[in-house]
Amino acid sequence: MRADEDREYVDYVGVRLPRLHRTAYMLCGDAHQADDIVQATLTALYVHWRRAVAADNLDGYVHRIMVRRYLDERRRRWSRVLLGDHVPDAAEAAPGADDGFGERDALTAALRALPKGQRAVVVLRYFSDLTVEQTAEALGCSTGNVKSQCARGLATLRGAMARVAERERS
């Protein structure tokens, strides 16, 4: 790349990096995997920067790369390997001492339980604040598909959060 294109890329990434990390984390639920996804996304973006800049919607182009990298990670068998000879014990927290983290953890777990298509739509629509059209463009599908996947995903999340609230009341 030329120096001016390189500078454009660095400026774009500098502004968007925190949002890209949040989006990747919401897709996969793991900070280290999110870093890997963002790194792979930015590498692909750098390699194809001229094509990306020519796109009508650069952010949609980048989100599409990210979702594809996330799906690629999910397909790899090694990503499911648990290293070590035993599973660590879960830390027990005192009741009522979660300071709101319990609800966040429940939401993250519910997001992880969604099918990958619904999760991608919900994350792009509500955590990345994309419109239906931008989400459809990023995922390469129709707006009707985005709407139906979003409705199903939100219904599943509402049900999961209602069960969490019911358990807390009990």
Side-chain angles (χ1 to χ4, degrees):
M1 275 197 304
R2 295 188 328 245
D4 59 330
E5 291 173 332
D6 199 37
R7 197 171 28 260
E8 284 178 28
Y9 171 82
V10 170
D11 291 343
Y12 176 82
V13 170
V15 170
R16 301 296 195 293
L17 192 59
R19 186 174 183 184
L20 292 173
H21 273 285
R22 273 194 313 273
T23 302
Y25 179 79
M26 295 309 294
L27 283 170
C28 68
D30 178 74
H32 299 292
Q33 187 180 11
D35 289 341
D36 292 344
I37 292 169
V38 169
Q39 181 178 1
T41 300
L42 294 179
T43 301
L45 179 63
Y46 185 81
V47 169
H48 301 290
W49 180 248
R50 286 184 181 152
R51 187 179 333 156
V53 171
D56 292 333
N57 181 359
L58 181 57
D59 288 331
Y61 188 93
V62 173
H63 282 105
R64 182 179 224 162
I65 294 172
M66 180 177 292
V67 169
R68 287 183 175 172
R69 294 301 177 254
Y70 160 70
L71 295 174
D72 289 346
E73 287 285 322
R74 296 271 304 177
R75 290 183 192 116
R76 291 193 181 121
R77 293 224 180 258
W78 65 265
S79 67
R80 296 186 188 113
V81 173
L82 182 62
L83 301 177
D85 58 349
H86 69 286
V87 177
D89 295 331
E92 293 294 322
D98 67 359
D99 293 329
F101 291 112
E103 187 173 292
R104 185 199 65 184
D105 290 344
L107 179 60
T108 303
L111 268 173
R112 276 191 235 130
L114 288 177
K116 56 189 173 189
Q118 289 178 13
R119 183 181 329 155
V121 168
V122 169
V123 167
L124 291 177
R125 284 279 293 128
Y126 296 102
F127 292 99
S128 295
D129 293 326
L130 298 183
T131 65
V132 171
E133 292 77 18
Q134 291 169 330
T135 303
E137 183 180 335
L139 296 175
C141 62
S142 68
T143 57
N145 188 28
V146 169
K147 291 175 186 178
S148 66
Q149 291 290 321
C150 193
R152 289 182 191 126
L154 289 176
T156 303
L157 288 176
R158 282 188 198 108
M161 296 310 289
R163 287 189 294 278
V164 168
E166 185 63 34
R167 276 191 302 236
E168 288 178 0
R169 279 188 241 128
S170 300

